[in-house]
Amino acid sequence: MTRTDSHIDASWPADTLTSEDRARFNRYRHASDFASGMQWNERQRRGESRLTFNYAQTLLRKSASYVFPAPVSFSISPVSSDAAATSAAAEAEHWLNSVAARLDLAQLDLAMASEIATLGDGVAKVTWDATTTQPRVTSVDPASIAVRCHADDPRHLLQVTHLYGVHASELGHLFPDLSIPVISLTNAAIPVAEIWTDRRWQVLIAGQTALETDNPYGWIPYVFAANNPMSHGFWGRSDLIELEDVCIEINRRTTILSRVLELSGAPIAVLENVDGSDGISVGPGAKWELPEGAKAYLLDLLQGGGAHLHIEYIDLLFRILHDLSETPRTAFGDSGRDLSGAALEVEIQPLVQKVGRQRRMWEGVFARRNRMLLDLEERFGTTPIAGYRESTTIWPAVLPSDTDVAVRNAVARVGAGIQSRRSAIADLGHLDPDRELQRILDETSDANRP
């Protein structure tokens, strides 16, 4: 559903939306417009030139790139040390990483990270596709979602309503087994509302009930990601909130400086004690004949260092922008001075801490999403998951690291007995540490044979 489909927006089931939901939708619309470059509060006058530097969107994308500099992988630990449990955990882990690669979840997560920073919220839907016999993970517009939570626990979901638009020709493909009401074929999208609880699933098409049955999954198939939510709230907040004022001011001040430079390049002639200006033109070789007592000179807008004041103010605004976004200039590859490796790490530490906060949110998202994926495969697929549901996220390094140093540290930890070889292999980024460890053991065994 797009935010421009007003007839879809008006089709929410009765008593679904609250005033808080409508205010949230308005925040999404404002944040989306601002991130797309609509960053001036005043209307543009005819003939007025304006500059818009979309640093807000650039900073959000930069932050997302640091959160996901490379695809994540997942590890599943066996419940016991016996061979059967180890083999089952390895099989479930291999399937989980394989399905993430097949569904291209790395690209989906990167795109959602930018959207979550912009809107404050992100939603993914996890379902089973009987046609392809594998799970489906899709991103959902949070403006098409309304939730109802437990009264004393805002993070305990009771009901999710998902509203979107579908063309009539697509209804039979999306709902082949449903009793679809008779609907006139038009070019307008037809509103479809899915209402999910842990026990029930209801589908309304154009306001008419087309399905009401038991939930086929036993859980609500939506995963929510909230950006820096309040401790007592369900939804998050946009990272643009702190950046809007300074971005608007940067656009305004750079536009003013641009106009000053433009006028200085085409100087203004000032005449004193002259009745008219007919026949007077500014240009190379121009000659003026002025009456006695008259004066003429060119107005120098750059006189007295006025341009430097604008530049210094703009530099101050950029410093404020980097501080508020917790993204130092060093993150763009330009520290402005020679620094040692340790000094560079200290300078970029605010961004590392910001990435750490966002990754903690994503770890919860991955844990819930992987739990759903594993459950779907065990119930509808063919891979023996053996009841495994819990997974651990293996993150790539936030900053470029020296592989040789990482290997030496891993060898030292394994040699000291404070880390297993499997964990060391996983930390070094292998997608399937169990199989890699087995290959190492096999090679070692073959080498030791007489």
Side-chain angles (χ1 to χ4, degrees), residues 241-270:
I241 294 176
E242 292 84 7
L243 306 182
E244 284 190 13
D245 288 343
V246 67
C247 286
I248 292 172
E249 187 68 4
I250 286 175
N251 293 332
R252 182 183 292 116
R253 291 302 158 185
T254 51
T255 298
I256 291 174
L257 180 58
S258 174
R259 292 170 184 167
V260 169
L261 295 176
E262 183 178 4
L263 292 174
S264 298
I268 301 172
V270 180

Side-chain angles (χ1 to χ4, degrees), residues 286-363:
K287 295 182 179 180
W288 299 347
E289 293 183 3
L290 300 176
E292 185 178 354
K295 292 182 180 180
Y297 59 90
L298 298 179
L299 181 62
D300 185 3
L301 296 177
L302 302 181
Q303 187 177 9
H308 291 290
L309 291 176
H310 285 285
I311 294 173
E312 289 175 2
Y313 180 52
I314 292 173
D315 287 340
L316 175 61
L317 290 175
F318 275 110
R319 179 177 176 179
I320 295 172
L321 180 67
H322 285 295
D323 287 348
L324 291 177
S325 65
E326 300 178 81
T327 309
R329 182 65 193 170
T330 310
F332 293 84
D334 178 20
S335 64
R337 58 192 189 280
D338 293 331
L339 297 174
S340 65
L344 281 172
E345 289 188 9
V346 171
E347 187 163 303
I348 208 170
Q349 190 64 23
L351 178 59
V352 174
Q353 294 172 339
K354 178 181 180 179
V355 168
R357 294 197 306 270
Q358 293 178 338
R359 285 187 172 183
R360 283 193 289 274
M361 179 270 292
W362 276 103
E363 285 178 353

Side-chain angles (χ1 to χ4, degrees), residues 86-130:
T86 302
S87 176
E91 188 73 21
E93 180 182 293
H94 177 70
W95 178 86
L96 185 59
N97 286 298
S98 297
V99 77
R102 287 199 306 272
L103 299 179
D104 197 13
L105 295 185
Q107 179 60 35
L108 179 68
D109 294 338
L110 182 60
M112 284 189 63
S114 295
E115 181 183 59
I116 292 167
T118 301
L119 303 181
D121 300 297
V123 185
K125 187 178 183 181
V126 183
T127 55
W128 181 260
D129 189 337

Side-chain angles (χ1 to χ4, degrees), residues 15-25 146-148 235:
D15 301 326
T16 298
L17 294 186
T18 64
S19 58
E20 289 80 5
D21 287 322
R22 300 186 188 281
R24 175 169 57 88
F25 297 164
V147 303
R148 185 163 58 87
W235 299 103

